[in-house]
Amino acid sequence: MRIDVVTLFPSMVDAPLSESIVGRAREAGRLKLGFSNPRDFAEDRHRTVDDKPYGGGTGMLMMAEPVYRALKKVKKRDSYVILLTPKGRRFDQRMALELAAKKNIVLICGHYEGIDERVNNFADLELSIGDYVLTGGEPAAVAIIDAVTRLLPGVLKQADAVINETFTEGLLEAPHYTRPGVWRRMKVPEALLSGDHKRISGWRRSAAMELTGKNRPDLINREAYNGGSYEDDRNAARDEE
Ligand code: 6GU
């Protein structure tokens, strides 16, 4: 898979994705990461990429033309173009699975107060990583690329690691423990030491339910998390209209 990131600050995305599992996936060629900087496409000698918003308001906006040119440089015919903005649809595990099936993705990072709205006409989707505001889309790009890369074939040692994990089954995962069996007078739950696989999976199921009820009650009554695709949701919303 190839992902290109349109950003004024490529090192904010490149550096964190050079370590650990994603770093190794890049070295192995499973993920190709490219960057395109709107600053390199500015039109004046000061290399200006931002300007004041029409109608007034605080902060500066990224101008459309340098972003458009930076996008054009990396966009292929089959690229799936995503605009990163706190106003976007919320990214989740299901979206990560859908993106992991694509061949070419371009992520456009807004910075300052955002990007001239007209750039939206060149994006397939607007994405946010949660209900809070970041100074720019770069940390969001890192989060999305990390979540997608670990789903690519051959990136994780155990291919089944993603099947039982948190969110894939719609619940948070049960707690995990490793040696020693007793640590600072705290014991590992007995069921996990029993060697009885039915007992272990029963314990995990109820521990997962309890944890989800405590931390994420919103997940309990939700329909099967992976029951449909994002496209299904879009079609359903349209049919309802
Ligand atoms: Cl994608 N961008 C910014 N600036 N803030 C965010 C975000 C994105 N997602 C959540 N907060």
Side-chain angles (χ1 to χ4, degrees):
M1 154 177 274
R2 182 180 174 92
I3 302 178
D4 287 283
V5 184
V6 174
T7 170
L8 292 172
F9 303 98
S11 62
M12 284 182 75
V13 180
D14 189 25
L17 296 173
S18 297
E19 306 283 345
S20 184
I21 294 171
V22 178
R24 283 195 293 277
R26 290 173 71 183
E27 283 167 18
R30 297 187 202 282
L31 171 70
K32 298 241 189 297
L33 247 196
F35 297 94
S36 186
N37 191 337
R39 182 81 62 193
D40 298 335
F41 300 91
E43 298 171 285
D44 65 338
R45 66 183 180 88
H46 295 111
R47 303 216 295 159
T48 307
V49 292
D50 60 349
D51 206 342
K52 296 178 304 229
Y54 276 118
T58 49
M60 298 290 270
L61 282 178
M62 287 171 72
M63 298 158 66
E65 183 64 17
V67 175
Y68 173 75
R69 291 189 185 189
L71 170 63
K72 209 169 157 200
K73 170 90 183 284
V74 292
K75 185 184 155 15
K76 297 180 171 62
R77 207 187 302 277
D78 69 342
S79 290
Y80 192 70
V81 180
I82 299 172
L83 199 68
L84 298 174
T85 161
K87 298 190 275 189
R89 181 198 141 96
R90 185 134 92 238
F91 181 72
D92 61 14
Q93 189 65 18
R94 191 175 72 181
M95 178 69 62
L97 285 157
E98 290 190 30
L99 296 182
K102 307 218 178 274
K103 225 172 94 195
N104 290 294
I105 293 175
V106 181
L107 299 176
I108 304 174
C109 299
H111 216 91
Y112 314 118
E113 283 304 303
I115 308 176
D116 186 306
E117 184 69 22
R118 291 167 289 189
V119 169
N120 233 305
N121 290 116
F122 303 92
D124 297 298
L125 178 68
E126 292 169 271
L127 272 189
S128 159
I129 59 166
D131 294 340
Y132 41 82
V133 180
L134 303 167
T135 56
E138 287 79 8
V142 171
I144 291 166
I145 293 166
D146 184 294
V148 169
T149 302
R150 62 188 290 289
L151 298 173
L152 299 177
V155 170
L156 295 186
K157 275 199 210 86
Q158 297 126 300
D160 61 337
V162 296
I163 293 168
N164 291 315
E165 71 188 355
T166 292
F167 296 123
T168 305
E169 291 197 312
L171 291 178
L172 305 181
E173 257 185 300
H176 300 300
Y177 300 84
T178 187
R179 289 184 292 183
V182 182
W183 175 70
R184 294 188 180 239
R185 302 218 292 275
M186 291 176 275
K187 289 185 187 139
V188 172
E190 214 213 81
L192 297 178
L193 309 173
S194 69
D196 174 347
H197 292 289
K198 266 181 80 176
R199 192 172 162 213
I200 292 168
S201 59
W203 182 87
R204 285 194 170 137
R205 185 82 202 158
S206 57
M209 284 297 276
E210 191 187 332
L211 180 66
T212 308
K214 185 174 73 139
N215 287 355
R216 293 294 305 276
D218 58 302
L219 294 179
I220 298 273
N221 278 328
R222 197 141 122 205
E223 273 179 68
Y225 201 76
N226 286 305
S229 68
Y230 163 62
E231 291 298 338
D232 290 344
D233 283 356
R234 272 230 285 228
N235 292 336
R238 196 202 47 219
D239 292 347
E240 246 171 63
E241 275 174 16

